[in-house]
């Protein structure tokens, strides 16, 4: 095993003392699921997302595949309450999937060559993509039933898209919603896993070049990664191709304490599941602490008895704890 601290990192950061194998394990959420096997957990997550999206498209008033830019995949699905107007709260969701296509958690094996980590996909394993707006309308029914418009955002995942480009796309998607619905009663951003990272990057966005300041009233950062440096040394980086500089530039953990909230009343909720890995717990807790060091109105929740996937699957349920937290934040 290679100790990644051997690459010259400071040893005070826990992950930097992990072997390559353990670091890989920490950043493979499906390996921490206790209710199901890893493969079954991924299939269940995908199936629930597909079913929720199919139902939402069949039963809710919607605008599907609306372009927010000229690029391939730069589209949103917008779902409306029955009694709709432009003066609605808008909830934007950014899906997870480690910023990439067909590379789900637990799909990679790692080989330690002694000097570097080489990640390879086992030839017998087929990829399952959990990375599409077309499978991510989990929360549409519970939120639209209470008068919230829901926007599911697509972005250009790797290997086609770079992380810098994804951040730019998500920024433009938020600006697009504000421009299209200027009378909104607040824009609330929610991301899961890699999507939580992209949502968190909106805390740092420079809106001046987009010609609009969105009415951001709340962030829900669910089981996210906020310091990307560890990702550089896992197999997730095979498609992403992040350099250390890329990771640091796109790590809100390193920058958010110095950023000034556009609206000091904007709430930022950092959420993690009980059965997320210790590294996901550390990332969420440390990001919450960093928010508190700044002037952000932050809170932290560990949700009992849920894993990395269940925490989002349960958003299909109106009585779910996180669903209720979201609604209370919007309508407080």
């Amino acid at each position: 095993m290679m100790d990644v601290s051997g690459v010259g990192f400071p040893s005070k950061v826990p992950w930097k003392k992990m072997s390559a194998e353990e670091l890989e394990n920490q950043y493979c959420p499906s390996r921490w699921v206790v209710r199901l096997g890893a493969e079954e957990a991924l299939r269940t997550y995908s199936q629930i997302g597909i079913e929720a999206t199919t139902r939402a498209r069949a039963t809710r008033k919607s605008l599907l595949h609306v372009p927010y830019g000229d690029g391939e995949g730069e589209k949103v699905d917008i779902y409306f309450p029955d009694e709709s107007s432009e003066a609605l709260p808008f909830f934007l969701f950014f899906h997870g999937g480690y910023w990439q296509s067909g590379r789900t958690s637990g799909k990679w094996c790692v080989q330690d060559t002694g000097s570097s980590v080489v990640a390879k996909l086992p030839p017998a394993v087929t990829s399952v993509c959990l990375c599409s707006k077309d499978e991510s309308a989990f929360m549409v029914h519970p939120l639209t039933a209470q008068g919230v418009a829901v926007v599911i955002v697509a972005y250009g995942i790797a290997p086609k898209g770079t992380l810098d480009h994804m951040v730019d796309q998500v920024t433009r998607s938020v600006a697009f919603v504000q421009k299209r619905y200027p009378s909104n009663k607040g824009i609330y951003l929610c991301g899961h896993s890699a999507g939580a990272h992209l949502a968190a990057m909106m805390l740092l966005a420079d809106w001046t070049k987009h010609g609009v300041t969105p009415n951001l009233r709340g962030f829900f950062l669910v089981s996210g990664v906020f310091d990307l440096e560890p990702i550089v040394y896992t197999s997730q980086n095979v498609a992403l191709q992040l350099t250390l500089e890329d990771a640091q530039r796109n790590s809100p953990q390193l920058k958010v304490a110095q950023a000034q909230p556009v609206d000091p009343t904007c709430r930022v909720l950092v959420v993690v599941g009980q059965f997320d890995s210790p590294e996901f717990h550390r990332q969420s807790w440390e990001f919450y602490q960093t928010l508190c060091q700044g002037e952000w109105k932050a809170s932290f929740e560990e949700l009992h008895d849920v894993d990395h996937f269940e925490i989002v699957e349960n958003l299909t349920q109106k009585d779910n704890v996180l669903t209720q937290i979201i609604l209370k934040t919007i309508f407080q």
Side-chain angles (χ1 to χ4, degrees), residues 162-209:
T162 65
L163 195 56
D164 287 305
H165 187 51
M166 293 178 220
V167 172
D168 178 65
Q169 287 177 314
V170 167
T171 308
R172 286 188 285 111
S173 76
V174 176
F176 167 80
V177 172
Q178 179 64 42
K179 290 176 181 177
R180 188 178 179 107
Y181 302 103
S183 301
N184 70 76
K185 289 188 176 179
I187 292 177
Y188 297 83
L189 306 185
C190 178
H192 173 233
S193 198
H197 162 265
L198 294 172
M201 288 296 288
M202 298 306 96
L203 297 166
L204 306 169
D206 178 7
W207 299 107
T208 55
K209 66 179 182 179

Side-chain angles (χ1 to χ4, degrees), residues 1-2 15 17-28 31-32 278-279:
M1 293 185 185
M2 184 184 78
W15 71 264
K17 298 187 72 174
M18 292 179 184
S19 68
E21 182 180 359
E22 177 57 21
L23 186 65
E24 184 74 13
N25 195 48
Q26 287 286 330
Y27 284 93
C28 286
R31 298 181 185 178
W32 297 85
E279 268 296 283

Side-chain angles (χ1 to χ4, degrees), residues 34-55:
V34 297
R35 63 193 163 106
L36 299 168
E39 298 292 324
E40 189 178 354
L42 294 168
R43 281 194 298 269
T44 299
Y45 178 82
S46 184
Q47 187 61 35
I48 290 173
I50 290 169
E51 289 173 358
T53 304
T54 301
R55 181 183 175 211

Side-chain angles (χ1 to χ4, degrees), residues 130-179:
L130 306 179
C131 328
S132 166
K133 73 174 175 57
D134 302 319
E135 302 177 344
S136 299
F138 297 93
M139 71 299 296
V140 165
H141 266 272
L143 296 193
T144 56
Q146 298 300 317
V148 180
V150 177
V151 182
I152 312 295
V153 180
Y155 53 91
I157 49 186
K160 286 186 177 181
T162 65
L163 195 56
D164 287 305
H165 187 51
M166 293 178 220
V167 172
D168 178 65
Q169 287 177 314
V170 167
T171 308
R172 286 188 285 111
S173 76
V174 176
F176 167 80
V177 172
Q178 179 64 42
K179 290 176 181 177

